[in-house]
Amino acid sequence: LVLALVLLPPGPAAPCSPQPNATRFVCTEPTLRTFPSGLPRTTLAISVEFTALAALLPTALVPVPSLQELHLSSNRLATLSAALLRPVRALRVLDLTNNLLLDLPTDIFSSSQHLQHLVLRGNRLRALRPAWFQHLPRLLWLDLGANALAEVPPEAFQALHSLRSLDLSENLLAALPPGALAGLGALEQLDLEGNRLLTLPPAAFAPTPALRLLFLQDNELRELPSRIFLPLRHLRVLDLARNRLRALELPPRAPGPALELDISGNPWHCGCALRALLRSGAPLLTAAADTRCASPAHRRGQEVAALSGAGNAGC
């Protein structure tokens, strides 16, 4: 019997076994179903991605109190405990991309004052809870794209005074309430691509004077309020492609490189106002071949870029 036991082949090793005294742990084993145990206290970064992980115990991170990065993308996580992040107060990066999260506890980030990058893209979040962001004064990057968010509560991001990039693309937003961007005075990039926006509040961008990149393509915008871009004196990229706009107003022309402007895929009315605006603003039109006039009839199908360089004939 003893001899038989000795001759038996060893059982399969546990996938992704931690190494002693390591500072980084990486596991992309598709069969992994439970969060690895035995992680050394020296661990600073954990990447458990593309696995079958569906749950995390509230105490999963207790053994790694110095953790700074936690990457959990492309797993099967549907819920997280409110206590999960409390032992890792030095956490700076949290990536939960492409999981099955329907909601998060309101106080899940209450001990995460050092968090700088938070990625929740590609989950199933339906409601945006302002309480999530109340304790994140150092957050620089927030990605909420590709969820099922239907609204942004007023002043939801009020506490995020350091935020530089906000991604709300590929959600179900039909409107932004006044004050939706309040508190975001440092914001440089805003992505609202691929929603259902019909219009925007007249003072939508008043709280974001530092904005440099604004993405509004693939919405249902029919018109924009007068002077909506007036606060954006540092804007360098504006994407309005594939909406339903017929008229345009540009941000104030600033010194430096020309504004990169994509207005393709809209039914532009190529009258004197649009032509004069493009000449005076002198933007760099991207996708110019797809930027064509829908009216008046004698201009239909012509490239807007060609008309913007034409003279004042007919005006």
Side-chain angles (χ1 to χ4, degrees), residues 204-218:
F205 303 120
T208 59
L211 208 60
R212 299 174 60 84
L213 298 95
L214 176 57
F215 301 99
L216 289 163
Q217 66 268 38
D218 295 304

Side-chain angles (χ1 to χ4, degrees), residues 161 163 181-190 203-213 228-236 251-252 254:
H161 302 302
L163 198 68
L181 304 177
L184 300 180
L187 195 68
E188 297 179 355
Q189 177 170 328
L190 175 61
F205 303 120
T208 59
L211 208 60
R212 299 174 60 84
L213 298 95
I228 188 172
F229 298 126
L230 186 63
L232 305 182
R233 299 183 178 275
H234 301 285
L235 201 64
R236 288 291 175 259

Side-chain angles (χ1 to χ4, degrees), residues 247-251 261 271-283 308:
L248 178 66
E249 184 172 331
L250 292 179
L261 178 66
C272 297
L274 179 62
R275 295 166 64 187
L277 178 69
L278 293 175
R279 282 197 299 271
S280 62
S308 67

Side-chain angles (χ1 to χ4, degrees), residues 149 168-173 192-197 218-219:
L149 300 173
L168 289 163
S169 64
E170 300 177 42
N171 277 285
L172 305 175
L173 303 176
L192 289 162
E193 173 188 358
N195 280 282
R196 303 175 180 179
L197 295 171
D218 295 304
N219 278 282

Side-chain angles (χ1 to χ4, degrees), residues 137-197:
R138 295 177 175 85
L139 197 67
L140 302 175
W141 183 288
L142 176 58
D143 190 342
L144 293 160
N147 279 282
L149 300 173
E151 62 179 355
V152 176
E155 302 183 347
F157 308 114
Q158 180 73 50
L160 302 180
H161 302 302
S162 300
L163 198 68
R164 299 293 191 272
S165 178
L166 174 60
D167 194 332
L168 289 163
S169 64
E170 300 177 42
N171 277 285
L172 305 175
L173 303 176
L176 283 184
L181 304 177
L184 300 180
L187 195 68
E188 297 179 355
Q189 177 170 328
L190 175 61
D191 195 338
L192 289 162
E193 173 188 358
N195 280 282
R196 303 175 180 179
L197 295 171

